[in-house]
Amino acid sequence: EEEERYDGGGGTTANETMSWKEALQFIQKHLSLMPSSTNHKEHIHVPLMKRCKSTTYEEKVEGILQEGSSSKRRQRYEENIIKKRKAAEYDRNFYMQKLQEGGSGL
């Protein structure tokens, strides 16, 4: 047997929809709340060029390389730089080798 949860005069049950008017009446009756146009939050738009800016990549690197920075962070940064250089060198050598070998001409 179907359980009735709400009957706002329109015969609305758990499996039916209700109108906004009925929903507002239900909220007011059971929660003592009513929407108000004076209680809304204001959204303040900040133009793009006036927004706070984060640190740049260069500023972050400078911070890592400073004397007082964490030695682990500095070590990881230096390891990553070495990896990038090796990867770039490997890529360059790989493509040079492929160019020398030639292709199928497709």
Side-chain angles (χ1 to χ4, degrees):
E1 199 173 305
E2 185 178 325
E3 177 185 331
E4 287 194 326
R5 294 183 187 166
Y6 171 70
D7 185 356
T12 305
T13 63
N15 295 330
E16 297 177 8
T17 59
M18 66 175 73
S19 69
W20 275 111
K21 182 179 179 181
E22 290 174 331
L24 292 174
Q25 289 171 348
F26 179 86
I27 291 170
Q28 184 177 20
K29 179 181 176 184
H30 294 283
L31 303 175
S32 300
L33 298 173
M34 195 64 180
S36 170
S37 62
T38 59
N39 290 336
H40 68 282
K41 294 181 179 179
E42 290 189 34
H43 297 282
I44 300 171
H45 173 73
V46 178
L48 182 63
M49 296 307 290
K50 292 186 178 180
R51 295 180 190 174
C52 296
K53 298 174 181 85
S54 63
T55 56
T56 64
Y57 176 76
E58 290 80 11
E59 290 170 334
K60 289 180 182 182
V61 169
E62 185 180 313
I64 291 171
L65 297 178
Q66 285 179 351
E67 293 284 329
S69 68
S70 165
S71 61
K72 286 185 180 182
R73 284 183 71 201
R74 184 182 188 124
Q75 184 179 359
R76 279 197 315 256
Y77 170 76
E78 289 172 353
E79 288 171 359
N80 286 334
I81 291 298
I82 291 169
K83 286 179 190 176
K84 286 180 185 179
R85 287 183 187 146
K86 285 182 180 179
E89 185 179 325
Y90 173 80
D91 288 347
R92 188 172 35 257
N93 292 339
F94 173 81
Y95 287 111
M96 289 304 292
Q97 180 183 355
K98 295 302 174 189
L99 280 172
Q100 289 173 356
E101 291 176 1
S104 62
L106 293 178

